[in-house]
């Protein structure tokens, strides 16, 4: 069955996430390439979000990722479109903003990236979430979407689900369950 991504539901999900982060006094940051700031934008659509999002990076080119702390060796060895790069992005933004949660996302939306054609496969997205000092990485293959915005929202939903899953696991670990 093909997953359906509904913009209203995704926006409601991020309102819930932002309110939960405010309630728990947790901070979050992102280093986004493929989504070019969409995740940070969804977080800041909720009033009070300045308490949880101190900043974020849009690192659309490799040089920008490296400038913000992603080791060039990681990109050279694994390509910009890899689990390892997403993990390095999550770690770098978490460190830069001393956040509780860091999200790194890279991938290819609807067309081949002319700057990285050999590693660029449309619909393949890699992201990582750092929380409680642990980094968990994810890979998704999105079916063709009608617009770039639809791709970004689809990735946003995947990231939301991953963050919420990790927050629930962290809560259970803290409670000693």
């Amino acid at each position: 069955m093909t997953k359906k991504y509904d913009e209203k539901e995704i926006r409601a999900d991020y309102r819930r996430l932002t309110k939960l982060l405010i309630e728990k006094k947790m901070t979050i940051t992102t280093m986004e390439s493929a989504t070019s700031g969409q995740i940070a934008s969804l977080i800041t659509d909720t009033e009070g979000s300045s308490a949880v999002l101190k900043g974020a990076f849009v690192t659309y080119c490799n040089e920008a990722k490296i400038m913000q702390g992603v080791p060039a060796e990681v990109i050279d060895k694994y390509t910009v479109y890899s689990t390892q790069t997403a993990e390095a992005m999550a770690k770098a933004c978490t460190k830069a903003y001393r956040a509780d949660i860091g999200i790194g996302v890279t991938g290819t939306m609807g067309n081949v990236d002319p700057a990285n054609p050999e590693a660029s496969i449309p619909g393949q997205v890699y992201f990582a979430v750092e929380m409680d000092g642990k980094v968990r990485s994810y890979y998704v293959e999105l079916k063709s979407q009608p617009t770039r915005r639809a791709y970004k929202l689809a990735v946003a939903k995947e990231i939301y689900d991953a963050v919420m899953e990790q927050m629930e696991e962290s809560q259970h670990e803290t409670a000693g369950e």
Side-chain angles (χ1 to χ4, degrees), residues 47-121:
E47 189 174 319
S49 60
S50 62
V52 299
L53 184 81
K54 301 299 181 193
F57 299 112
V58 175
T59 55
Y60 216 59
C61 67
N62 293 354
E63 294 80 12
K65 290 172 189 64
I66 294 164
M67 286 172 55
Q68 300 307 330
V70 174
E73 304 78 47
V74 171
I75 294 172
D76 291 342
K77 184 174 182 179
Y78 300 103
T79 80
V80 67
Y81 304 119
S82 65
T83 299
Q84 295 84 356
T85 297
E87 289 173 355
M89 292 168 74
K91 290 176 189 175
C93 68
T94 302
K95 181 180 177 184
Y97 287 105
R98 295 184 186 101
D100 298 307
I101 302 168
I103 298 165
V105 60
T106 184
T108 307
M109 297 307 192
N111 59 304
V112 172
D113 175 1
N116 300 283
E118 69 291 338
S120 173
I121 299 171

Side-chain angles (χ1 to χ4, degrees), residues 127-148:
F127 66 93
V129 179
E130 181 173 14
M131 189 182 307
D132 298 328
K134 298 176 207 156
V135 180
R136 193 175 296 170
S137 53
Y138 302 83
Y139 166 77
V140 294
E141 284 189 36
L142 300 170
K143 69 177 180 90
S144 183
Q145 299 292 315
T147 64
R148 290 183 70 78

